[in-house]
Amino acid sequence: MDHCEFTSENSVELTFRNEDFRVSDAFAWFAFRIAARDSRDVDIKMHFPDAYARFWPKLSRDGEEWVSASEDDVERSEIGKSMTLTVPVDETGMWISAQELLTETYYDNWLAQLDAHYELRTSEIGRSNQDRPIWLAHTADKPEAIVLIGRQHPAEVPGAIAMREFVDVVLGSSELAREFRSRYMLLILPLMNPDGVANGHARHNAGLTDINRDWGLFTQPETQSVAALLDQLEERGVTPRLMLDFHATKMSPTMIFYTQMPEDETSPERFATNWMTQVDGRVGKFEFTHDPRPPSGLDNTKNYFFSRYGIPAITYEIGDEIDREAIHEYTPAFAEEMMRVMLESD
């Protein structure tokens, strides 16, 4: 937040700027709380001079339960540089945020849940620029590993919600999940960018870097921590067989999966096609997009894991405004079919 001015008793104007001058994909994250001594409707005008109004406002009385603002209460400017929101406010206050606030406390609670699982251990594999821990939850060593990565881009909250749902299925008590874990080691990195989350960034870490453009370069402590982990695993005879990187996107109302091209040789071969085909047979009218792409020049997670290991390396994107109940309803199909296809692989 760069500027806040109450223009009347019932109206306020806020200006939000990018987290730093190097951000390449300009969109504005916002989060604040407003309260009044007595009940009233307040007009809140938000300005985004560096960016555009990508996110539809979410409202919460307690910071835990969130609902999207009504369409009748939000007006975006034609060029997307500002947005006006009308909300009822009283002394109890109202949280207004670009997405649900999944903060450090959320991850502390999740890590405690993971650590309580009888097959999992949690460990600190490094520290961020601002000395926050980079946590790993993992099962016992096995020759083959599945890597699950979350929250590289702080603003992409739906991807974080989907990752937790996905992990819950993989760690479940079903016969399929138990068989899967008997073969594969799990490497779960829930929060890759703790500084970005703590500082309210949209994309960067505290080192002014998009860490999903730092794979292979490894200039940042967050990616360096994972690089060191991968080297240690290799020395112990553990090799990744699949990497899923959870994000969110404005490009789809539901989900997009960025994968290797069908002609790219991966091991397991044709994993992405087989996975998407099996899921499609389960989810009925729920539409998602499988978008194979050739390796690009970007130093992102997908390209790095594919080039280093020749494995399926997939960006798992959730739409910004997807119905959160749809995440809960359909994520089990994606997790279960992933396990089935991996168990069928040589």
Side-chain angles (χ1 to χ4, degrees), residues 56-129:
W56 192 264
K58 311 297 185 301
L59 312 178
S60 175
R61 290 288 185 185
D62 59 5
E64 300 291 336
E65 299 295 326
W66 296 85
V67 296
S68 293
S70 166
E71 290 190 12
D72 294 335
D73 295 332
V74 179
E75 181 180 353
R76 279 185 172 131
S77 67
E78 289 186 9
I79 59 173
K81 289 287 188 180
S82 66
M83 174 192 297
T84 300
L85 168 67
T86 303
V87 294
V89 177
D90 57 29
E91 62 181 5
T92 63
M94 176 81 76
W95 283 100
I96 299 167
S97 181
Q99 297 284 21
E100 299 92 329
L101 293 177
L102 306 188
T103 61
E104 184 178 7
T105 300
Y106 173 88
Y107 286 98
D108 287 345
N109 292 336
W110 187 15
L111 283 162
Q113 175 191 331
L114 293 172
D115 198 48
H117 192 283
Y118 70 100
E119 292 180 63
L120 280 176
R121 290 183 58 197
T122 57
S123 57
E124 182 183 312
I125 63 168
R127 308 289 290 190
S128 68
N129 275 284

Side-chain angles (χ1 to χ4, degrees), residues 104-105 146 162 167 193 199 222 224 246 268:
E104 184 178 7
T105 300
I146 307 295
V167 168
N193 191 349
N199 289 291
E222 296 88 350
Q224 290 168 3
F246 291 79

Side-chain angles (χ1 to χ4, degrees), residues 27-45:
F27 54 86
W29 173 263
F30 56 90
F32 55 93
R33 184 177 177 274
I34 185 168
R37 291 189 180 91
D38 49 56
S39 299
R40 66 185 72 186
D41 287 345
V42 177
D43 294 326
I44 303 168
K45 187 167 186 178

Side-chain angles (χ1 to χ4, degrees), residues 27-30 52-59 66-71 74 76 83 97-100 155-159 161 247-255 286 317-327:
F27 54 86
W29 173 263
F30 56 90
Y52 64 97
R54 167 172 166 173
F55 300 105
W56 192 264
K58 311 297 185 301
L59 312 178
W66 296 85
V67 296
S68 293
S70 166
E71 290 190 12
V74 179
R76 279 185 172 131
M83 174 192 297
S97 181
Q99 297 284 21
E100 299 92 329
E156 297 179 10
V157 169
I161 296 171
H247 287 263
T249 179
K250 67 181 186 297
M251 302 301 292
S252 170
T254 57
M255 306 169 74
F286 180 76
E317 299 261 13
I318 307 295
D320 284 341
E321 306 305 331
I322 190 173
D323 186 322
R324 292 346 188 212
E325 284 302 312
I327 296 178

Side-chain angles (χ1 to χ4, degrees), residues 1 16 33 82 116 120 170 186 189 199 219 233 268 281 308 339:
M1 187 184 292
F16 295 89
R33 184 177 177 274
S82 66
L120 280 176
V170 174
L186 295 177
L189 294 148
N199 289 291
T219 67
L233 290 168
R308 176 169 177 177
M339 292 189 286

Side-chain angles (χ1 to χ4, degrees), residues 143-306:
E144 303 172 291
I146 307 295
V147 183
L148 305 175
I149 295 176
R151 209 77 187 273
Q152 295 202 71
H153 294 153
E156 297 179 10
V157 169
I161 296 171
M163 181 182 183
R164 188 165 182 172
E165 296 269 355
F166 193 98
V167 168
D168 283 348
V169 176
V170 174
L171 292 176
S173 59
S174 70
E175 182 179 346
L176 172 64
R178 292 197 303 270
E179 182 182 0
F180 181 76
R181 296 196 304 270
S182 71
R183 173 172 171 179
Y184 290 101
M185 181 183 188
L186 295 177
L187 301 167
I188 304 166
L189 294 148
L191 179 56
M192 275 291 298
N193 191 349
D195 293 348
V197 169
N199 289 291
H201 290 180
R203 200 166 179 91
H204 286 186
N205 69 347
L208 311 188
T209 299
D210 180 343
I211 59 174
N212 199 33
R213 300 294 183 270
D214 192 50
W215 290 85
L217 302 175
F218 299 130
T219 67
Q220 299 300 301
E222 296 88 350
T223 51
Q224 290 168 3
S225 298
V226 180
L229 169 68
L230 294 172
D231 289 342
Q232 293 164 13
L233 290 168
E234 192 168 356
E235 292 175 1
R236 303 202 307 258
V238 178
T239 303
R241 294 294 309 279
L242 172 69
M243 188 285 299
L244 301 180
D245 183 20
F246 291 79
H247 287 263
T249 179
K250 67 181 186 297
M251 302 301 292
S252 170
T254 57
M255 306 169 74
I256 300 177
F257 293 84
Y258 295 116
T259 73
Q260 285 67 53
M261 299 294 289
E263 60 269 25
D264 289 332
E265 293 186 7
T266 62
S267 177
E269 62 183 6
R270 295 185 57 80
F271 167 81
T273 299
N274 293 337
W275 183 28
M276 297 293 102
T277 299
Q278 291 188 194
V279 171
D280 190 49
R282 283 188 56 178
V283 298
K285 294 181 179 179
F286 180 76
E287 295 183 359
F288 61 92
T289 302
H290 177 200
D291 190 355
R293 295 191 174 188
S296 67
L298 297 176
D299 296 303
N300 62 22
T301 324
K302 171 176 170 283
N303 290 331
Y304 176 76
F305 275 84
F306 174 64

